[in-house]
Amino acid sequence: MLADNLQQVRERIANACARAHRDPESVKLLAVTKIFGPEVIHEGYALGLREFGENYVQEMERKSASVSGLAGARFHLIGHLQSNKTKKASQLFSSVDSVESAKLARRLASEGVPLDIMIEVKTSDEESKTGAGESELAEIVEAVRAHPILNLRGLMTVPPWSEDPELSRPYFAHLRKLAELHRIPELSMGMSNDLEVAIEEGATWVRVGTALFGRRKKL
Ligand SMILES: *Cc1c(COP(=O)(O)O)cnc(C)c1O
């Protein structure tokens, strides 16, 4: 079943790339395995998946003994990171895609472990959303770039959830403008329901959970 889902997601990516006249190789798939057990990561790995997204440091900690031996597998933190968990995060993840303050960037740098970084930008004014406000972005970019141990790869955003993927488009287009402004190469945007729109707007990473692994149980 995962094999079928993966094939469908790859086809959706390929079709969106064709429509947007983009090379399908320019869009990477981040398999979001939050809530699922480590066996799901093993299953994905056996099918060729290598980049995995997790939302919680503690959850990754529980899975890590089981999955740390998977050669070439890389784990991205895509959920909110508390500043007292930067040490664990730097040990468990190759990439922190949810950096949302200069302070967090400095704390991650001080752990002394090379890390890929994405800055999460709050592109909507939804109360509940995490991410940096746009007015803070320049300061965070500067803080990340001030530390050579941190490799600033991209911007990430989560638009307000909607049934209609078209409603995500303006948020994605806006994130792309911000990335161009700061000369940041990668864009992590688009999830199970709106990845096509994200690819049309320039996503280089799509973060897909439900379309691969099915619906998650509530925590
Ligand atoms: C859970 C999650 C995803 C995956 O969402 P799906 O709709 O299940 O594909 C992507 N990005 C973030 C930040 C998430 O928390």
Side-chain angles (χ1 to χ4, degrees):
M1 183 167 121
L2 175 56
D4 295 339
N5 291 349
L6 178 57
Q7 196 187 337
Q8 275 176 26
V9 168
R10 290 207 193 286
E11 276 168 22
R12 286 176 61 191
I13 293 172
N15 290 340
C17 284
R19 277 199 306 281
H21 307 290
R22 293 186 53 190
D23 177 359
E25 298 284 308
S26 69
V27 180
K28 291 178 284 276
L29 176 59
L30 186 68
V32 178
T33 44
K34 63 164 175 251
I35 316 292
F36 292 100
E39 70 284 354
V40 166
I41 297 174
H42 284 269
E43 211 186 325
Y45 184 89
L47 292 168
L49 292 170
R50 289 295 179 272
E51 309 273 346
F52 299 92
E54 288 281 342
N55 286 57
Y56 309 98
V57 172
Q58 270 175 318
E59 186 179 336
M60 186 69 229
E61 211 177 5
R62 286 197 298 274
K63 296 179 193 178
S64 111
S66 165
V67 300
S68 59
L70 296 174
R74 296 175 79 254
F75 295 91
H76 299 233
L77 179 62
I78 60 172
H80 176 69
L81 175 59
Q82 289 169 275
S83 54
N84 63 354
K85 296 217 171 89
T86 51
K87 187 179 190 67
K88 278 195 176 137
S90 71
Q91 292 162 349
L92 291 165
F93 295 97
S94 307
S95 183
V96 177
D97 297 1
S98 49
V99 171
E100 55 185 1
S101 71
K103 180 183 151 199
L104 197 58
R106 286 191 287 268
R107 276 188 173 258
L108 284 168
S110 73
E111 305 299 353
V113 182
L115 273 179
D116 284 345
I117 296 290
M118 293 201 197
I119 300 171
E120 182 179 356
V121 182
K122 188 173 131 147
T123 45
S124 71
D125 44 23
E126 263 189 321
E127 283 288 322
S128 60
K129 281 279 179 302
T130 54
E134 262 183 63
S135 59
E136 303 155 300
L137 181 57
E139 182 203 350
I140 304 170
V141 169
E142 201 181 329
V144 176
R145 287 191 169 142
H147 296 95
I149 203 163
L150 303 179
N151 176 22
L152 180 56
R153 290 191 60 175
L155 297 181
M156 192 263 263
T157 199
V158 185
W161 200 90
S162 163
E163 290 276 339
D164 179 2
E166 274 304 319
L167 297 184
S168 299
R169 190 181 296 278
Y171 302 104
F172 295 155
H174 189 60
L175 192 73
R176 179 184 185 155
K177 288 224 176 71
L178 293 173
E180 283 167 3
L181 184 68
H182 293 282
R183 303 185 191 290
I184 297 171
E186 307 215 20
L187 288 169
S188 174
M189 54 191 199
M191 319 201 298
S192 289
N193 75 319
D194 57 8
L195 67 90
E196 284 88 351
V197 173
I199 289 169
E200 287 164 18
E201 296 301 330
T204 65
W205 289 90
V206 290
R207 307 180 308 270
V208 181
T210 311
L212 288 173
F213 306 112
R215 290 185 61 177
R216 292 177 288 273
K217 295 206 183 75
K218 289 261 155 58
L219 268 182

